[in-house]
Amino acid sequence: MTDTAEIYGLFDPDTDELRYVGKANDSSKRFKGHMREVRRRKTPLYDWMRKLLASGKCPVCRVIRICAQADWPQAEREE
């Protein structure tokens, strides 16, 4: 386990609107996980992702903040 956590966001590729905030030790691996889960999960996030993918687009994943592991719950809420 690392000493830091990444607070990341999934952004709309057209509007740059922040659609989801999450925490990961490695946001690029977590994003790949989201992309694998899109076919089977039924939530508003994955509904949005399926619509994007059907139109040939993909969410944009960006690290918003890097924080200490102990501080990530507060950091995620602040974003």
Side-chain angles (χ1 to χ4, degrees), residues 14-79:
D14 295 322
T15 65
D16 204 38
E17 175 188 3
L18 177 61
R19 298 291 303 252
Y20 177 81
V21 174
K23 173 263 182 192
N25 294 330
D26 182 332
S27 59
S28 63
K29 283 184 182 178
R30 183 63 191 107
F31 181 64
K32 289 175 187 174
H34 281 301
M35 296 304 288
R36 282 190 305 274
E37 295 167 2
V38 75
R39 290 184 293 277
R40 61 183 172 81
R41 303 266 318 257
K42 306 293 184 211
T43 67
L45 169 66
Y46 291 101
D47 292 344
W48 168 71
M49 290 176 67
R50 275 190 293 281
K51 286 180 188 175
L52 280 180
L53 293 169
S55 69
K57 298 175 184 175
C58 186
V60 176
C61 181
R62 286 196 300 259
V63 174
I64 300 169
R65 184 190 296 192
I66 296 175
C67 61
Q69 278 287 349
D71 298 336
W72 77 260
Q74 179 67 30
E76 186 180 45
R77 278 191 299 275
E78 290 173 358
E79 296 303 329

